[in-house]
C-alpha cells in the first residue's frame, strides 16, 4: 500500500482500525526538537472518538507510545521516529456482514477487488478514519516545530449538511437521530513569515499539488480548493486578480487573496487558504441497496456499529496535521 508521503521528510502510516495498533514512522524529523507532550495530547484529544453526542461512541484513549526517535530529554534525536496508538474498544462482530455485503459509499468493494477478498474490513481496516490518529501524532509534532519557526496553521468547520454557523450542530444532530449522516467543509489557513515566500515549484511540485496529495489521503475527502477555488471560474479577471501593494515595512502584499497565497505553485507571502470537502459517513443504519458477493445477488444492508454522523467534525485537527506535515517537509531544506 502507498501509505507514505513526503520528499525531504518521509511519513509512513500503518495499521488497521481493529488491529492491535495504528502507527506512524517519520524519517528525518529535524534533530534536537523538543516535544511538548501536554500540547500533543491536547491536539490528539481534539480528534479522538467518544466525545459528546455528535461523534462515534467508540472509546479510545489515543495515548501515543513512542518506540524510537527520541532521546531521554524528549527531543528528536535524528533516528526515525516511530509511535503507535493501541486499539482497545473494538467490536469486530459489528462488521461481520460487510465481508460479503459491501457498504455503499465505502471502500469495502474496491478493497475486495484490489486485495482479492483478503482485506481486513473490520472497522474499515486500513481505509478507516482511525488511521488519522497516527497522522495527528506526526502533524501535532510538526505543528510544534513550525510554531518555533513562526508558522501557524488553523482550521475550522465552516459547513455541515449544507448548514453554516450555529446551525451546523443542529444539522449533524438531526442526521444522527435519524440514523443518517452529513458531509462537511473544513477551511484551513497557514500564516508564515515572509522568509518562506517562494516555497514550491512550478507545475507538478507546486504547493497546491503537495498539499492536495496528502489532504486527499484523509478518508472521506472528495474535494480540495485553494483561495477562491471554483468560484474563480465565475469571476472576471479584474475581480479575481489580487492587486499588489507595498506595506509600511516595504514588504509586498495583496489587497485580496483569491489566489489563496499561491501563484504558479509558489507561495507569494500571503496566507495559504484552502477548503476541504468531506463526504457523508458511508456507514449509516438506514437500509441501503448492495450486493452479496458470495451469492452474486442483489441484497440490502443496514450498517451496525458506532459511527460519526459527520466525519468532518473530528477532521478539523486532521486537516491541520496534514498541512503541518507538508509545510515542514517543504521548509526543512531551508
Amino acid at each position: 500500500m502507498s501509505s507514505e508521503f513526503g520528499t525531504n521528510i518521509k511519513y509512513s502510516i500503518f495499521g488497521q482500525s481493529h488491529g492491535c495498533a495504528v502507527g506512524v514512522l517519520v524519517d528525518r524529523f529535524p534533530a534536537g526538537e523538543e516535544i511538548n507532550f501536554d500540547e500533543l495530547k491536547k491536539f490528539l484529544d481534539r480528534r479522538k472518538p467518544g466525545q459528546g453526542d455528535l461523534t462515534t461512541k467508540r472509546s479510545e484513549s489515543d495515548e501515543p507510545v513512542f518506540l524510537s526517535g527520541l532521546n531521554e530529554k524528549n527531543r528528536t534525536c535524528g533516528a526515525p521516529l516511530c509511535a503507535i496508538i493501541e486499539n482497545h474498544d473494538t467490536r469486530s462482530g459489528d462488521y461481520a456482514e460487510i465481508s460479503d455485503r459491501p457498504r455503499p459509499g465505502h471502500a469495502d468493494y474496491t478493497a475486495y477487488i484490489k486485495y482479492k477478498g483478503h482485506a481486513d474490513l473490520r472497522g474499515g481496516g486500513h481505509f478507516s478514519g482511525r488511521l488519522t490518529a497516527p497522522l495527528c501524532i506526526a502533524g501535532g509534532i510538526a505543528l510544534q516545530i513550525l510554531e518555533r519557526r513562526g508558522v501557524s496553521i488553523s482550521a475550522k468547520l465552516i459547513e455541515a449538511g449544507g448548514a453554516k454557523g450555529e446551525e451546523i450542530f443542529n444539522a449533524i444532530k438531526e442526521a444522527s437521530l435519524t440514523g443518517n449522516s452529513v458531509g462537511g467543509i473544513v477551511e484551513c489557513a497557514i500564516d508564515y513569515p515572509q522568509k518562506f515566500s517562494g516555497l514550491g515549484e512550478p507545475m507538478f511540485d507546486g504547493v497546491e499539488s503537495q498539499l492536495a496529495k496528502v489532504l486527499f489521503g484523509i478518508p472521506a475527502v472528495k474535494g480540495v480548493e485553494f483561495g477562491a477555488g471554483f468560484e474563480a471560474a465565475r469571476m472576471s479577471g479584474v475581480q479575481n486578480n489580487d492587486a499588489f501593494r507595498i506595506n509600511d515595512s516595504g514588504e509586498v502584499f495583496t489587497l485580496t487573496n483569491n489566489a489563496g497565497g499561491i501563484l504558479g505553485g509558489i507561495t507569494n507571502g500571503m496566507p495559504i487558504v484552502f477548503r476541504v470537502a468531506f463526504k457523508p459517513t458511508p456507514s449509516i443504519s438506514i437500509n441501503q441497496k448492495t450486493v452479496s458477493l458470495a451469492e452474486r445477488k442483489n441484497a440490502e444492508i443496514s450498517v451496525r456499529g458506532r459511527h460519526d454522523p459527520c466525519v468532518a467534525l473530528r477532521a478539523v485537527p486532521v486537516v491541520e496535521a496534514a498541512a503541518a506535515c507538508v509545510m515542514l517537509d517543504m521548509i526543512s531544506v531551508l
Side-chain angles (χ1 to χ4, degrees):
M1 287 186 176
S2 182
S3 303
E4 61 182 25
F5 64 93
T7 302
N8 306 301
I9 300 174
K10 296 287 188 180
Y11 305 89
S12 181
I13 307 294
F14 60 88
Q16 294 119 252
S17 179
H18 286 198
C20 61
V22 292
V24 62
L25 177 66
V26 185
D27 193 13
R28 289 180 281 185
F29 255 156
E33 295 287 346
E34 184 178 2
I35 297 178
N36 184 323
F37 287 103
D38 290 335
E39 289 301 313
L40 181 60
K41 176 174 172 49
K42 289 178 184 177
F43 183 72
L44 294 176
D45 282 351
R46 291 170 56 199
R47 192 224 68 94
K48 93 176 172 182
Q51 302 185 84
D53 296 332
L54 300 182
T55 66
T56 172
K57 297 302 183 288
R58 179 173 177 174
S59 179
E60 297 283 2
S61 63
D62 280 5
E63 293 285 346
V65 177
F66 287 85
L67 305 180
S68 65
L70 300 178
N71 62 23
E72 72 279 2
K73 297 180 180 180
N74 292 332
R75 293 179 180 269
T76 54
C77 64
L81 184 145
C82 184
I84 62 170
I85 292 177
E86 295 178 339
N87 296 321
H88 296 290
D89 187 22
T90 59
R91 296 181 185 175
S92 299
D94 291 341
Y95 297 87
E97 189 177 26
I98 69 171
S99 61
D100 179 56
R101 300 186 180 190
R103 291 167 288 180
H106 209 287
D108 300 337
Y109 179 61
T110 49
Y112 171 83
I113 298 172
K114 179 76 173 177
Y115 304 111
K116 299 177 173 54
H118 299 292
D120 180 3
L121 300 180
R122 299 171 300 163
H126 192 67
F127 298 90
S128 170
R130 182 77 181 137
L131 275 296
T132 61
L135 175 60
C136 281
I137 296 176
I141 295 171
L143 282 167
Q144 293 185 24
I145 298 173
L146 288 169
E147 186 178 5
R148 297 178 191 127
R149 288 154 174 76
V151 180
S152 64
I153 300 175
S154 178
K156 59 184 177 182
L157 181 65
I158 62 171
E159 185 174 327
K164 299 181 180 180
E166 294 180 2
E167 294 302 313
I168 285 178
F169 296 102
N170 291 334
I172 298 174
K173 188 165 187 176
E174 182 179 351
S176 178
L177 291 173
T178 59
N180 209 343
S181 63
V182 292
I185 299 175
V186 174
E187 183 175 76
C188 185
I190 305 173
D191 287 298
Y192 55 91
Q194 282 284 330
K195 65 181 180 180
F196 293 134
S197 299
L199 289 176
E201 302 290 339
M203 297 190 73
F204 307 117
D205 278 330
V207 175
E208 295 112 323
S209 301
Q210 296 186 54
L211 281 168
K213 178 181 179 180
V214 181
L215 292 168
F216 275 116
I218 300 172
V221 169
K222 298 302 290 184
V224 177
E225 66 174 10
F226 292 84
F230 277 84
E231 189 60 33
R234 304 180 182 95
M235 296 179 179
S236 67
V238 71
Q239 291 173 320
N240 181 66
N241 293 343
D242 299 314
F244 291 108
R245 307 306 291 165
I246 298 289
N247 65 19
D248 293 339
S249 301
E251 297 172 330
V252 176
F253 72 101
T254 60
L255 293 177
T256 54
N257 195 18
N258 291 317
I262 304 167
L263 292 168
I266 300 169
T267 54
N268 65 5
M270 296 295 288
I272 300 171
V273 179
F274 60 89
R275 285 167 295 282
V276 185
F278 288 83
K279 69 182 180 181
T281 314
S283 297
I284 57 177
S285 59
I286 295 175
N287 214 40
Q288 300 179 84
K289 292 180 173 63
T290 184
V291 295
S292 168
L293 297 172
E295 298 178 0
R296 311 309 287 184
K297 291 181 179 179
N298 293 328
E300 294 185 348
I301 187 172
S302 174
V303 181
R304 296 183 295 165
R306 302 156 296 171
H307 308 283
D308 290 279
C310 178
V311 293
L313 184 61
R314 288 200 294 130
V316 173
V318 181
V319 170
E320 293 176 0
C325 289
V326 174
M327 289 299 294
L328 185 61
D329 182 36
M330 286 192 291
I331 73 171
S332 64
V333 294
L334 301 180

